[in-house]
């Protein structure tokens, strides 16, 4: 079994929609969301996300996506020992079907690292394109 971990900063209602779809597709799969210091303006989003079935943890101030992932991974280790972890973004760019495919692949060997891929098409910010290339190169070397 695996847990879906979603770091979030200033999300919109796509986060609650994603959690609802994930919980419908796999009701036994926990979903853990880490609010990385969002403003009070998005509190309704986190309330809807919790109502959809996610565990919501919070940072008092923005600490960055890496810190949010670390907080989430520590929580998974404490609350769900032995579970694998599938990470997803809060903006809906990862579909519930794609997240479930990664979770199913991970179920074969929970010590494995399963990487999803995506093709950048259309206008992509330079920073995103560079980050994707750097990450791809690092994993290729590893």
């Amino acid at each position: 079994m695996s847990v879906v971990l979603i770091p979030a900063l200033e999300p919109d209602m796509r986060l609650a929609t994603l959690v609802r779809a994930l919980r419908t597709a796999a009701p036994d799969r926990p979903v853990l969301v880490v609010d990385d210091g969002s403003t009070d303006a998005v509190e309704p989003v986190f309330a809807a996300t919790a109502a959809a079935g996610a565990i919501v943890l919070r940072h008092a101030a923005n600490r960055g996506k890496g810190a949010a992932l670390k907080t989430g991974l520590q929580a998974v280790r404490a609350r769900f020992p032995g579970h694998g972890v599938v990470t997803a973004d809060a903006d809906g760019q990862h579909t519930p079907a794609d997240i479930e495919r990664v979770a199913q692949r991970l179920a074969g060997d929970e010590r494995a690292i399963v990487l999803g891929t995506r093709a950048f098409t259309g206008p992509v910010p330079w920073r995103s394109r560079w980050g994707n290339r750097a990450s791809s190169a690092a994993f290729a070397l590893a």
Side-chain angles (χ1 to χ4, degrees), residues 4-7 14-22 65 69 86-103 114-120 132:
V4 178
L5 170 59
I6 305 172
R14 289 178 291 183
L15 175 59
T17 300
L18 174 62
V19 169
R20 195 173 305 106
L22 290 170
K65 185 175 183 177
L69 287 169
V86 177
T87 63
D89 286 344
D91 62 5
Q93 71 173 304
H94 302 114
T95 67
D98 288 341
I99 294 167
E100 188 59 26
R101 273 195 294 277
V102 172
V114 180
L115 301 175
T117 61
R118 62 182 169 174
F120 282 118
N132 184 55

Side-chain angles (χ1 to χ4, degrees), residues 18-66:
L18 174 62
V19 169
R20 195 173 305 106
L22 290 170
R23 300 290 294 146
T24 298
D28 295 333
R29 186 176 319 288
V31 178
L32 195 143
V33 173
V34 179
D35 168 11
D36 189 29
S38 298
T39 62
D40 292 342
V42 295
E43 177 53 36
V45 173
F46 288 108
T49 298
I55 299 165
V56 179
L57 305 177
R58 293 198 159 90
H59 287 169
N62 178 249
R63 294 171 38 199
K65 185 175 183 177

